[in-house]
Amino acid sequence: MDLKRRVDTARALADEAASLALDHFQRRAELRVEKKGLQDLVSRADREVEALIRDRLAQAFPNDALLGEEGGGGTAEGTWVVDPIDGTTNFLRGLPHWGVSIGFVLRGRVELGVIHAPALGERYVATRGGGATLNGERIRVSDTSALPEALLGLGSSRRTPLPPYTERLAALLQAGVEYRRLGSATMHFAAVARGSLDGYFEAHLSAWDACAGLLLVEEAGGRTNDFLAGDGLREGNAALVAGPGLYPALAAALGVG
Ligand code: IPD
Ligand code: CA
C-alpha cells in the first residue's frame, strides 16, 4: 500500500476540486438548487466536484473503493471517503465556511485526510503519525480543560431527533459553555484542530463528513471518539472531538463515550 503516493494525489486533487468548487461558488446564482430532503440541498456543483474526484482516484488507484456523499459507493480494504462540498447550504447562500474533504481509510483506520476550504484560503493536511498542518504550518488543539472556559462547535441535522440536541445544548449552556454552529462538520473539525474551537459534537455524521476531520484533530493532538466502531464507515456515527484536557468533561456532560 503506497500511502505516500496517496497523500500526494489527495493533496493535488483537493486543490483541483477546491478550485472547481470555488468557480461555481463565485457564479452560484446560475446554479439550480435541488432538495434532497428537509433542509438538505444539492446542486450541480456538488455532483461535478465529486465526479472529478471519483475519476481521478479511479484512474490512479483502481483497486481502492470510494464512498461519496453524492454518488454513494462501497468499501474495500482501502476506501476513499469523499465529501465534495461539506457545508452545501453555506456554499449556496454565499457563506465561506464550506470545504472539500477527502479521507482515506485503510483496514478500519483513517490514514490520511485533506480538507480544502478555498473561500477561506485554508488547506489542511493530516497523515497518521505525520502531524496536522494548515497551509503548511503545524497546528495544535487548544489546552482548555474547563467547560466554563470552552468555546464549542455544536452541530445537528434532520437525520436525528431534535430533543436530545436541545437538551444537550441547555445542559452545556448551564455548565457555562459558549458555542458556535458553523454549518459544516468539516470546518468544525478544522477549527478544533487549530485551537479556534475547544471541541465539537454532533449526534450523527456520515463518514464523508467526518473521516478527514477526525484524523486532522487526532494529529493536532486532540482526542476523538471511536467513530468507525461498528459499521461507522457505512452508517455514520456520533462524532465527538476535543483537546485532551477538555475531552473527559465534555464526554461526561454529553453522556457520550
Ligand atoms: C452537513 C454539514 C452540517 C452537518 C450535517 C452534514 P452537507 O453536510 O456538515 O454542518 O450538521 O450533519 O450532513 O450536507 O453540507 O454536505
Ligand atoms: Ca457533508
Side-chain angles (χ1 to χ4, degrees):
M1 182 60 63
D2 188 347
L3 274 171
K4 168 81 174 67
R5 192 163 78 86
R6 283 174 174 75
V7 175
D8 293 342
T9 303
R11 197 187 280 122
L13 185 50
D15 289 353
E16 191 183 357
S19 118
L20 174 62
L22 186 61
D23 192 45
H24 279 300
F25 183 66
Q26 282 154 352
R27 294 182 294 116
R28 63 192 170 277
E30 296 165 25
L31 293 170
R32 192 166 59 83
V33 180
E34 295 158 53
K35 275 193 176 168
K36 291 198 283 188
L38 181 62
Q39 295 283 353
D40 192 6
L41 307 175
V42 69
S43 79
R44 190 159 58 85
D46 306 74
R47 296 199 180 102
E48 265 183 29
V49 174
E50 185 165 316
L52 169 80
I53 297 171
R54 273 181 192 276
D55 286 355
R56 295 279 192 277
L57 289 176
Q59 273 165 28
F61 307 105
N63 295 323
D64 291 352
L66 189 147
L67 260 183
E69 167 149 23
E70 309 308 335
T75 59
E77 186 186 36
T79 303
W80 293 93
V81 189
V82 173
D83 198 334
I85 298 174
D86 182 58
T88 296
T89 300
N90 285 350
F91 177 96
L92 291 170
R93 287 177 173 270
L95 296 165
H97 287 82
W98 53 270
V100 177
S101 175
I102 302 178
F104 181 69
V105 176
L106 180 63
R107 288 180 224 108
R109 228 166 61 138
V110 189
E111 294 290 339
L112 80 90
V114 182
I115 289 169
H116 196 144
L120 296 169
E122 295 173 0
R123 184 180 71 175
Y124 298 85
V125 180
T127 55
R128 185 163 296 281
T133 58
L134 161 57
N135 297 340
E137 303 288 326
R138 287 295 276 257
I139 50 174
R140 215 186 139 71
V141 296
S142 75
D143 57 10
T144 302
S145 59
L147 287 174
E149 281 153 29
L151 182 65
L152 302 179
L154 297 171
S156 94
S157 72
R158 304 289 168 155
R159 293 187 300 278
T160 50
L162 199 53
Y165 175 73
T166 48
E167 282 159 19
R168 282 173 169 140
L169 184 56
L172 287 170
L173 289 170
Q174 289 285 356
V177 156
E178 258 310 329
Y179 76 103
R180 301 287 183 268
R181 184 164 167 172
L182 302 180
S184 160
T186 295
M187 299 320 299
H188 278 125
F189 287 118
V192 174
R194 66 169 191 269
S196 296
L197 293 175
D198 302 307
Y200 165 49
F201 174 73
E202 185 150 346
H204 179 270
L205 290 178
S206 299
W208 44 77
D209 302 311
C211 283
L214 287 163
L215 183 64
L216 190 70
V217 172
E218 274 181 49
E219 287 296 325
R223 270 184 73 178
T224 71
N225 69 325
D226 192 1
F227 179 88
L228 291 177
D231 205 11
L233 189 55
R234 275 178 296 200
E235 298 297 324
N237 210 340
L240 173 62
V241 298
L246 189 70
Y247 191 96
L250 185 55
L254 288 164
V256 173

